[in-house]
Amino acid sequence: MRSKPNILVTGTPGTGKTTTSAALAEATNLRHINIGDLVRDKKLHDGWDDELECYVINEDLVCDELEEIMEGGGNIVDHHGCDFFPERWFDRVVVLQTENSILFDRLSKRGYTGAKLTNNIECEIFQVLLEEAKDSYKEEIVVAMKSDSVDDMNSNVATISEWVRSWRV
Ligand code: ADP
Ligand code: MN
């Protein structure tokens, strides 16, 4: 039994997962694990996908790499997908959501154009990550949070930090 909770922070790219997770880690002393960085640094992938311009994640390698760490508790996992992690890993699943025009600007600034930009905006419009989270975890641990502004982010970090403080097995 873990003594600290594990939290998954998910959502469409650009919704603020990494910024929010970093702030949350600082506020709670939990460990921030950015799956994208982990995959790149530990080569937990099957090569580069030229079309999608990202690594092809090897989900088994990622899960093997994290099993012991997750058993220990106290982790914030930051990833734009959530269906391949073991359900038992997480005590809370946070789905960040951003208004379309705001997300469009953020992703444009990041250099996304064409199909990559459109696909991500559609992903947000159709609430793909919220559906994926609800399909993969018990509904009562899944929480959607608006992430349009810095105020939203601060309030989300405060809410989740409070939840961490009051968490008991
Ligand atoms: P993700 O990890 O989900 O792709 P990031 O955390 O990298 O998103 O955020 C993408 C960009 O949007 C960054 O420039 C970040 O500063 C900004 N950003 C993220 N969340 C918010 C927010 N709630 N309000 C304003 N700007 C934000
Ligand atoms: Mn990120």
Side-chain angles (χ1 to χ4, degrees):
M1 269 297 168
R2 46 188 178 252
S3 62
K4 288 186 204 162
N6 290 321
I7 301 169
L8 175 63
V9 178
T10 189
T12 305
T15 51
K17 298 180 296 294
T18 300
T19 318
T20 304
S21 298
L24 187 61
E26 193 155 309
T28 59
N29 273 321
L30 301 191
R31 183 193 296 111
H32 177 192
I33 301 172
N34 183 324
I35 297 294
D37 291 350
L38 183 80
V39 163
R40 189 196 56 218
D41 296 347
K42 303 233 164 180
K43 301 193 169 56
L44 309 176
H45 56 76
D46 301 317
W48 182 258
D49 185 323
D50 276 328
E51 203 170 323
L52 295 176
E53 296 171 55
C54 62
Y55 286 112
V56 182
I57 292 186
N58 185 313
E59 298 173 349
D60 292 336
L61 289 182
V62 170
C63 290
D64 287 350
E65 178 74 27
L66 290 178
E67 181 62 47
E68 253 180 66
I69 296 168
M70 297 305 291
E71 266 173 31
N75 301 290
I76 302 163
V77 173
D78 159 3
H79 191 52
H80 58 257
C82 64
D83 59 356
F84 67 89
F85 302 119
E87 190 181 351
R88 64 190 149 75
W89 276 4
F90 297 106
D91 304 293
R92 204 75 171 161
V93 176
V94 175
V95 183
L96 297 180
Q97 298 190 306
T98 300
E99 206 264 312
N100 300 322
S101 63
I102 297 173
L103 186 64
F104 187 95
D105 289 346
R106 284 189 202 157
L107 292 176
S108 302
K109 254 190 211 150
R110 193 183 263 187
Y112 286 24
T113 55
K116 193 169 183 178
L117 180 56
T118 323
N119 289 343
N120 281 303
I121 297 294
E122 279 179 8
C123 174
E124 187 62 4
I125 292 173
F126 294 113
Q127 302 199 321
V128 171
L129 269 305
L130 182 61
E131 290 308 312
E132 187 175 317
K134 285 180 175 170
D135 286 345
S136 308
Y137 302 90
K138 290 202 194 80
E139 284 221 24
E140 59 261 34
I141 76 158
V142 176
V143 51
M145 294 183 142
K146 186 160 82 82
S147 179
D148 290 347
S149 66
V150 172
D151 280 353
D152 288 339
M153 189 180 76
N154 291 338
S155 132
N156 294 338
V157 169
T159 304
I160 304 165
S161 300
E162 192 43 50
W163 176 84
V164 169
R165 268 190 289 279
S166 64
W167 187 79
R168 294 284 179 281
V169 182

